[in-house]
Amino acid sequence: MPGSQRLVLFVVLGAILIPSLVVWLVMKIRSRPLAGVDVYPDSRWKLGIVARPGREYRLCLRFHVQFNGPEEGFGLVADYTLTAAGETLTRERAGVGDIQPPERDRCITVQNMVTYGTNSLKDAEYGHAMRKATVVLATAGPFPHETELTAEGVTLLSQDTRLASGKVFFA
């Protein structure tokens, strides 16, 4: 390959890779937890932060579930309330997966940061399928001045779904 063709190839690859790397870094930084709490099935959780003026915040749920069945053969619901300065912004039961626990207000579709595969645990009770994802439950802000944001709720699972790990956090 002549030198000019290599240079063109290098420039084209750089033009593709550098913007991709920048987007990836921005997404990693934006999804970094500012404050978070581990969640467990049927247990109440609560967390809060002081929101800076002019910034938007996301309330996220990161989970790793194990289950029997097809790719979406699990159910997880976050029954939560999000408040800003004591005023309720959002109160809902948001769920993910095809097999939902008791009623939900909104079904969350999982599009990013998803893994589906077999567990290394070979756990007969929960099968060999798993799902790892981070979903956005709600967005708040921007606010004109410092504002206390609080989220509290409970995480519910469908039958035959096991929560290997879970975290609710502000990003």
Side-chain angles (χ1 to χ4, degrees):
M1 179 181 282
S4 62
Q5 287 179 334
R6 265 188 257 161
L7 179 60
V8 169
L9 180 61
F10 180 73
V11 170
V12 169
L13 286 175
I16 294 170
L17 293 177
I18 291 172
S20 299
L21 180 61
V22 169
V23 168
W24 179 79
L25 285 172
V26 167
M27 293 304 291
K28 285 299 260 185
I29 290 169
R30 289 192 73 206
S31 65
R32 184 180 311 150
L34 300 172
V37 62
D38 291 334
V39 295
Y40 304 95
D42 301 321
S43 295
R44 298 218 49 88
W45 49 265
K46 184 175 182 174
L47 74 149
I49 61 169
V50 176
R52 296 190 324 240
R55 177 161 179 217
E56 188 175 81
Y57 292 84
R58 293 172 295 144
L59 178 64
C60 301
L61 170 63
R62 181 172 292 150
F63 64 89
H64 174 188
V65 292
Q66 298 168 331
F67 56 95
N68 284 315
E71 188 170 345
E72 297 295 328
F74 69 96
L76 181 139
V77 167
D79 185 353
Y80 73 95
T81 303
L82 176 63
T83 61
E87 298 287 326
T88 300
L89 298 178
T90 304
R91 164 74 182 97
E92 72 175 352
R93 294 172 66 101
V96 63
D98 285 345
I99 304 172
Q100 297 294 330
E103 303 121 21
R104 68 185 186 275
D105 299 321
R106 177 172 60 104
C107 183
I108 302 170
T109 56
V110 179
Q111 297 174 350
N112 298 324
M113 297 182 283
V114 176
T115 305
Y116 173 76
T118 47
N119 295 326
S120 59
L121 300 175
K122 304 297 183 206
D123 187 338
E125 183 179 357
Y126 293 105
H128 305 298
M130 69 175 187
R131 172 72 75 167
K132 292 181 184 179
T134 301
V135 295
V136 176
L137 296 174
T139 306
F143 302 100
H145 48 77
E146 285 191 351
T147 304
E148 183 180 359
L149 279 179
T150 305
E152 60 183 297
V154 64
T155 306
L156 307 167
L157 297 171
S158 62
Q159 185 176 354
D160 295 330
T161 299
R162 178 175 169 241
L163 185 63
S165 66
K167 184 177 203 98
V168 173
F169 62 93
F170 283 111

